[in-house]
Amino acid sequence: MHRHLSSFTSMLLVAILVAACGSADKGPAETALKAAEEAINSAKGEASKYVPDQVSSLDSALAATREKLSKGDYKAVLSEAPALTSKAQEIASAAAAKKAELTKSWEGLSSGMPRVVEAIKSRVDILSQSKKLPAGMSAETLAQAKAGLSEITQQWTAATEASKGGNLMDAVAKASSVKVKAAEVLTLLKMPVPEALKS
Amino acid sequence: MVEKKDPWAIPDIGPETEEKKSESGADAFDATQWHEVKKGETLWKIAEQYYGDGNLYQKIFDANRDVLKDPNRINIGQKLRIP
């Protein structure tokens, strides 16, 4: 009986110790998670614009770690929170790099594309005044070029507005579709396609 | 069929001295179309080639006023901007 009691006491002590240790991890776990949340929130502003997929993935990981905190799995939180903080810093760097890349792309497009559009417009205007179209060009081809020019003009306006609104991703995406359409129209008009529109 | 008389026909007077150099290669967005004048060509004929209508020769002349002083005088080898 005495032996059984002793064994029970030992087990109880172990259980209390484990619980005490777990409880001791609670504060550090909360602190670590808070630091991770702060790092993520700080990175989110720009990162949501430039690397939204990575932000979404990080949000999911944060939610999973929060869940572990609420379930008392402090050791897991202590293990995962620093990784979340590191990932937030990586994402902030990735967003800055993407922003720089998009800014460079936009600068090139915004200085070059208006000249391409102007060249197309000039040719369409002249051909519209022609009494007879050049060899190999039908009225239908010219109509297609005019429709293409209209589409290009609208898309370019939308790209410029997106840029002014700070949405470089959208601006570059729209400008890239203008590039593709402009190359098509130049080909229809039998005009040379600039190098920048071939890539 | 008699070809329409070209009012801007000029004799072959040799290579152009004020050749407009192509800007291609320097600017990846340059969509300028250039035409190198060949023997017997006139602005009228060039306008016919690119626009289908020789009457539009003035458009080419206007775009090349930096190198052309007279629409009747273009020279072999001269590079003209086609707007």
Side-chain angles (χ1 to χ4, degrees):
Chain A
M1 176 71 185
H2 180 73
R3 183 179 286 176
H4 284 159
L5 192 61
S6 174
S7 174
F8 174 75
T9 307
S10 299
M11 284 171 65
L12 188 63
L13 273 172
V14 169
I16 289 167
L17 273 171
V18 167
C21 284
S23 214
D25 285 341
K26 186 181 178 184
E30 285 174 341
T31 304
L33 186 62
K34 194 177 175 200
E37 283 172 339
E38 282 171 1
I40 291 168
N41 287 335
S42 162
K44 256 188 179 176
E46 291 278 272
S48 298
K49 279 191 206 170
Y50 301 110
V51 284
D53 292 348
Q54 290 186 50
V55 170
S56 173
S57 163
L58 187 59
D59 275 342
S60 300
L62 177 64
T65 308
R66 272 198 197 117
E67 178 80 15
K68 285 172 185 165
L69 183 72
S70 69
K71 285 180 177 169
D73 190 355
Y74 305 125
K75 284 199 187 303
V77 174
L78 281 170
S79 159
E80 290 169 15
L84 290 175
T85 304
S86 299
K87 187 70 186 164
Q89 287 159 355
E90 278 174 30
I91 285 177
S93 298
K98 186 76 181 170
K99 184 181 181 182
E101 178 195 323
L102 289 168
T103 301
K104 193 179 171 190
S105 294
W106 176 250
E107 283 171 359
L109 288 162
S110 62
S111 74
M113 281 311 295
R115 284 178 288 133
V116 175
V117 176
E118 192 50 45
I120 293 173
K121 189 175 180 304
S122 165
R123 182 63 60 89
V124 166
D125 286 348
I126 293 171
L127 289 172
S128 299
Q129 297 167 40
S130 182
K131 288 174 185 160
K132 186 184 161 197
L133 291 172
M137 186 180 293
S138 65
E140 189 185 1
T141 307
L142 180 58
Q144 282 176 351
K146 281 182 182 175
L149 175 61
S150 172
E151 192 182 316
I152 286 167
T153 307
Q154 283 175 11
Q155 276 285 87
W156 185 252
T157 303
T160 305
E161 280 169 5
S163 165
K164 283 179 186 165
N167 193 344
L168 276 178
M169 287 266 269
D170 195 30
V172 171
K174 285 184 164 70
S176 297
S177 73
V178 170
K179 258 175 66 172
V180 172
K181 192 69 195 173
E184 284 175 24
V185 175
L186 286 165
T187 305
L188 283 172
L189 294 171
K190 300 185 185 301
M191 292 173 74
V193 177
E195 281 303 313
L197 273 62
K198 290 177 183 169
S199 55
Chain B
M1 186 175 146
V2 178
E3 188 182 341
K4 185 176 180 180
K5 191 181 175 188
D6 187 342
W8 309 116
I10 50 165
D12 178 1
I13 57 171
E16 171 55 45
T17 52
E18 293 178 28
E19 181 177 300
K20 173 68 187 175
K21 287 184 180 166
S22 168
E23 290 168 12
S24 62
D27 178 359
F29 283 93
D30 185 13
T32 308
Q33 187 160 32
W34 297 92
H35 177 89
E36 187 171 340
V37 178
K38 291 179 265 314
K39 186 179 176 181
E41 282 187 331
T42 61
L43 284 189
W44 181 283
K45 280 187 178 171
I46 296 168
E48 270 191 332
Q49 179 185 334
Y50 289 97
Y51 308 143
D53 185 350
N55 286 301
L56 294 168
Y57 74 89
Q58 188 71 34
K59 303 286 183 187
I60 300 173
F61 179 62
D62 288 342
N64 292 279
R65 282 187 181 271
D66 54 335
V67 292
L68 297 178
K69 303 301 170 207
D70 181 344
N72 288 311
R73 295 189 63 82
I74 61 172
N75 300 310
I76 291 173
Q78 195 168 31
K79 284 180 181 160
L80 302 177
R81 194 181 289 112
I82 308 297

